[in-house]
Amino acid sequence: RVWVALVQDDDIRVPFGKAHDHAREIVESHEALKILTNSLTKFKDDTELLCLMLTALASLSVRNEYCQEVVDGGGLQFIHDILLNHRQKADLVTKSLTLIKVLAGNDKVKSD
């Protein structure tokens, strides 16, 4: 939740927020995408935690190479499995589709 909060650009007092810079720092300095994609399979039975991790992945995947890193780490395959096996869990499906939309910003990911 902290990572997601740090990349929300909601401070109306400044003309340009630093959400993108914060996301880049979190990903590059703390290996956030690797940690989150590895955690998806580790906590696959905890729906609430999966929703949080999918939200964090969507918030942090702000560059093409980050989208590719999520796919290379197995994130897209995991989302595919969620959509096949957990269709009845609306929150989880919604978060999965949101992440797919974010990842589809990368042309190579679209073809995968």
Side-chain angles (χ1 to χ4, degrees):
R1 290 184 188 201
V2 173
W3 284 344
V4 173
L6 287 172
V7 297
Q8 298 304 311
D9 204 10
D10 60 356
D11 189 356
I12 59 171
R13 298 173 291 170
V14 295
F16 301 102
K18 295 191 177 228
H20 186 271
D21 295 335
H22 291 149
R24 194 184 64 182
E25 183 178 342
I26 290 167
V27 169
E28 293 177 3
S29 299
H30 303 288
E31 296 185 341
L33 298 177
K34 182 178 179 182
I35 292 168
L36 289 168
T37 52
N38 290 339
S39 297
L40 289 174
T41 53
K42 185 175 180 181
F43 298 105
K44 64 183 177 184
D45 297 323
D46 187 341
T47 303
E48 183 180 348
L49 190 54
L50 282 176
C51 286
L52 291 171
M53 288 188 287
L54 292 171
T55 300
L57 282 169
S59 296
L60 293 172
S61 298
V62 295
R63 300 175 66 146
N64 277 335
E65 58 267 26
Y66 300 165
C67 294
Q68 191 62 51
E69 186 177 336
V70 171
V71 172
D72 293 344
L76 194 58
Q77 181 61 47
F78 189 81
I79 293 170
H80 181 262
D81 294 343
I82 286 174
L83 294 174
L84 286 177
N85 301 320
H86 300 286
R87 286 176 272 173
Q88 69 281 9
K89 297 178 182 174
D91 287 344
L92 195 54
V93 170
T94 302
K95 301 299 182 191
S96 297
L97 293 174
T98 301
L99 182 55
I100 287 175
K101 181 181 176 184
V102 169
L103 295 177
N106 181 333
D107 289 336
K108 187 171 186 285
V109 173
K110 282 183 203 174
S111 65
D112 290 345

